[in-house]
Amino acid sequence: MLPKRSDFPPGFLFGAATAAYQIEGSAFGGAGPSHWDTFAATPGNVIDGSSGARACDHYHLWQTDLDLMRDAGFGAYRFSTSWARVMPDGRAPNPEALDFYDRLVDGMLERGLQPFATLYHWDLPAALADKGGWRNRDVAGWFTDYARLVHARLGDRLAATATLNEPWCIAWLSHFLGHHAPGLRDIRAASRAMHHVLLAHGTASRALRADGAGNLGIVLNFETAQPRDDSAQAAASAATQDAIYNQWFIRAVTGQPYPEAAMAGIGPHLPEGWQQDMDLVAAPLDWLGVNYYTRKLHGHAPGHWPNNADSDGPLPKTQMGWEIRPEGLTEFLIRLSRDHVGDLPVYVTENGMSLAAGPDVTDDMPRVAFIGDHLRAARAAMDQGVNLRGFFYWSLLDNYEWAFGYGPRFGLVHVDYTTMARTPKASWHAFRRMLGPDR
Ligand code: IFM
């Protein structure tokens, strides 16, 4: 059961989120290749060998998708613009792409949806990957040029803009763990990316603000990190993981130093002179986006820093194998407000459940329960003083789940990847009963 609309303040925003590469179809509209196209074309990187070339064909079906957002009763839509679509070679504009996003934003406004844009949700132009991508300090300038271009075209109609989605994934998951493009496993590459994503965020935010943009934020992901047993070693592993994942980015963007437990391994590989960037990184924020999904347990692993092996706890899991632990959302919202952002407006910019489709693709009652529990967890944080302003479900549609291909289904709406038919699931109907015209 979902809570009642009246359990939340009248201005509280409910929405759903998507990302360009996961839904649009990177083969359409004159987009250039991104590092995800090339990563996906490399054997072994994506479980089913698939890519986002067609994805959900949102490039052509965007009006249907916006109708689904409106008809569920949502007030806001979180989407991303694709850098590789907007600048196919990483530098020169693609007018077709800007026209597409222009129509998309107008389409949101026509349907009463507030546009929440994310400028980077992982589609780095391959031409910039050739130059070292997030390892190259110049990425801050390249990203800023792209951000300004998008803002010059759309900024007059955006309700909110995030620079980056999930810098931990952009930097650590992709350059240290090797699971996402560019698939590196290298502490020096990862450390540089850990700093350059923040430099890009700070540089672009300041430039956008100078151009007159308002309501700027960043979207960070958080994952509960707890020791797997009561040994001192497991406590140290969990603390290191927490520092890398849950503290590195939020501390830097709010003007706090990088956490000691992460600096122990990353510090020696940071680019020279990084200290001089920290003021720039801490550009003023108008809001913080929080993505939350799960918890992992951590223990000691021999060998190199961070000496960390993760495992799953005992709670029920989603199709991704992720433990379902709604109280983690309450805990993070309270912790972030207490330790980092105070009264700054916060949005849950992603929270969702992957669930395999059964014979009746509309039957996703476990997802309804998941959403209800997480909405109540968000409400509990508000009751304890967190300035939470909205909640975006991930995701509107089943879509391309990166290295997991098209297997995991996170959508409120089922997508048949052969016919591209959209079929609303029980969870979509539950939101409609909570928010829509019939409530
Ligand atoms: O699909 C992703 C999304 O792109 C970023 N946040 C987590 C989601 C689920 O893994």
Side-chain angles (χ1 to χ4, degrees):
M1 266 285 275
L2 300 192
K4 294 197 290 294
R5 176 67 185 87
S6 56
D7 292 340
F8 291 82
F12 191 90
L13 274 180
F14 289 93
T18 62
Y21 192 77
Q22 294 176 268
I23 64 165
E24 285 177 359
S26 63
F28 310 127
S34 78
H35 69 169
W36 257 99
D37 291 307
T38 56
F39 180 78
T42 310
N45 283 343
V46 176
I47 239 164
D48 56 6
S50 63
S51 75
R54 187 175 182 220
C56 305
D57 197 10
H58 171 78
Y59 188 78
H60 298 107
L61 299 174
W62 61 271
Q63 301 190 55
T64 305
D65 296 337
L66 293 185
D67 287 350
L68 285 162
M69 285 291 305
R70 178 200 57 207
D71 294 345
F74 289 128
Y77 177 47
R78 177 172 177 247
F79 70 109
S80 79
T81 51
S82 160
W83 191 349
R85 177 180 301 290
V86 170
M87 292 175 149
D89 68 355
R91 303 297 288 150
N94 168 19
E96 207 177 332
L98 291 166
D99 290 348
F100 169 69
Y101 290 120
D102 201 66
R103 288 193 297 274
L104 188 67
V105 167
D106 280 346
M108 291 176 217
L109 296 176
E110 281 157 18
R111 292 167 178 79
L113 298 164
Q114 294 190 34
F116 272 57
T118 299
L119 293 168
Y120 186 72
H121 199 128
W122 310 350
D123 21 29
L124 181 76
L128 300 181
D130 293 343
K131 296 182 177 167
W134 292 102
R135 287 174 291 153
N136 186 335
R137 182 181 176 85
D138 291 346
V139 73
W142 304 331
F143 177 66
T144 300
D145 291 344
Y146 155 68
R148 293 185 67 202
L149 177 69
V150 171
H151 224 271
R153 184 66 181 264
L154 308 179
D156 57 334
R157 284 155 293 151
L158 297 179
T161 304
T163 50
L164 306 176
N165 180 70
E166 301 184 347
W168 179 84
C169 294
I170 302 169
W172 200 253
L173 187 68
S174 308
H175 296 79
F176 187 77
L177 299 175
H179 296 322
H180 279 191
L184 297 180
R185 290 174 43 72
D186 184 299
I187 185 65
R188 180 176 164 96
S191 303
R192 275 144 202 275
M194 289 289 273
H195 184 67
H196 292 150
V197 284
L198 288 160
L199 183 64
H201 158 76
T203 309
S205 299
R206 289 181 192 276
L208 290 176
R209 218 176 275 285
D211 287 350
N215 216 18
L216 298 174
I218 186 168
V219 172
L220 306 181
N221 51 328
F222 298 92
E223 183 180 281
T224 305
Q226 292 176 342
R228 72 175 172 213
D229 55 42
D230 54 12
S231 69
Q233 282 188 324
S237 293
T240 302
Q241 169 70 9
D242 190 69
I244 299 169
Y245 201 129
N246 299 320
Q247 294 181 42
W248 182 270
F249 306 99
I250 188 63
R251 288 181 66 89
V253 299
T254 56
Q256 298 170 301
Y258 285 144
E260 287 297 322
M263 281 300 281
I266 295 174
H269 305 287
L270 285 175
E272 206 176 319
W274 64 270
Q275 295 89 340
Q276 278 77 62
D277 296 330
M278 296 312 277
D279 283 347
L280 184 57
V281 166
L285 287 172
D286 299 312
W287 58 276
L288 174 70
V290 174
N291 293 358
Y292 170 78
Y293 289 90
T294 191
R295 161 179 84 166
K296 286 274 191 312
L297 304 181
H298 297 269
H300 181 79
H304 296 294
W305 186 92
N307 301 106
N308 180 27
D310 65 28
S311 53
D312 297 320
L315 301 174
K317 314 282 186 308
T318 70
Q319 185 192 11
M320 296 293 284
W322 295 349
E323 252 193 331
I324 302 171
R325 190 170 175 275
E327 61 267 42
L329 179 59
T330 315
E331 291 161 4
F332 271 120
L333 292 172
I334 291 171
R335 172 177 162 185
L336 288 164
S337 135
R338 184 194 61 212
D339 297 347
H340 304 288
V341 300
D343 269 349
L344 190 78
V346 174
Y347 294 87
V348 174
T349 32
E350 283 183 31
N351 171 250
M353 180 189 193
S354 57
L355 181 70
D360 174 0
V361 300
T362 68
D363 180 0
D364 67 344
M365 290 316 285
R367 178 177 287 111
V368 178
F370 178 101
I371 297 169
D373 289 344
H374 285 81
L375 284 173
R376 282 181 281 276
R379 177 68 241 194
M382 296 167 76
D383 292 340
Q384 296 187 58
V386 174
N387 187 12
L388 188 68
R389 299 289 188 88
F391 182 102
F392 292 81
Y393 178 77
W394 181 272
S395 176
L396 172 66
L397 304 172
D398 291 339
N399 61 44
Y400 183 63
E401 180 54 23
W402 307 110
F404 294 91
Y406 291 97
R409 291 184 177 269
F410 279 89
L412 300 172
V413 175
H414 178 270
V415 176
D416 178 323
Y417 294 116
T418 308
T419 63
M420 291 295 152
R422 273 78 163 138
T423 310
K425 303 178 191 177
S427 53
W428 182 93
H429 289 285
F431 267 122
R432 184 176 160 95
R433 276 194 301 278
M434 176 185 175
L435 306 171
D438 317 323
R439 77 169 187 273

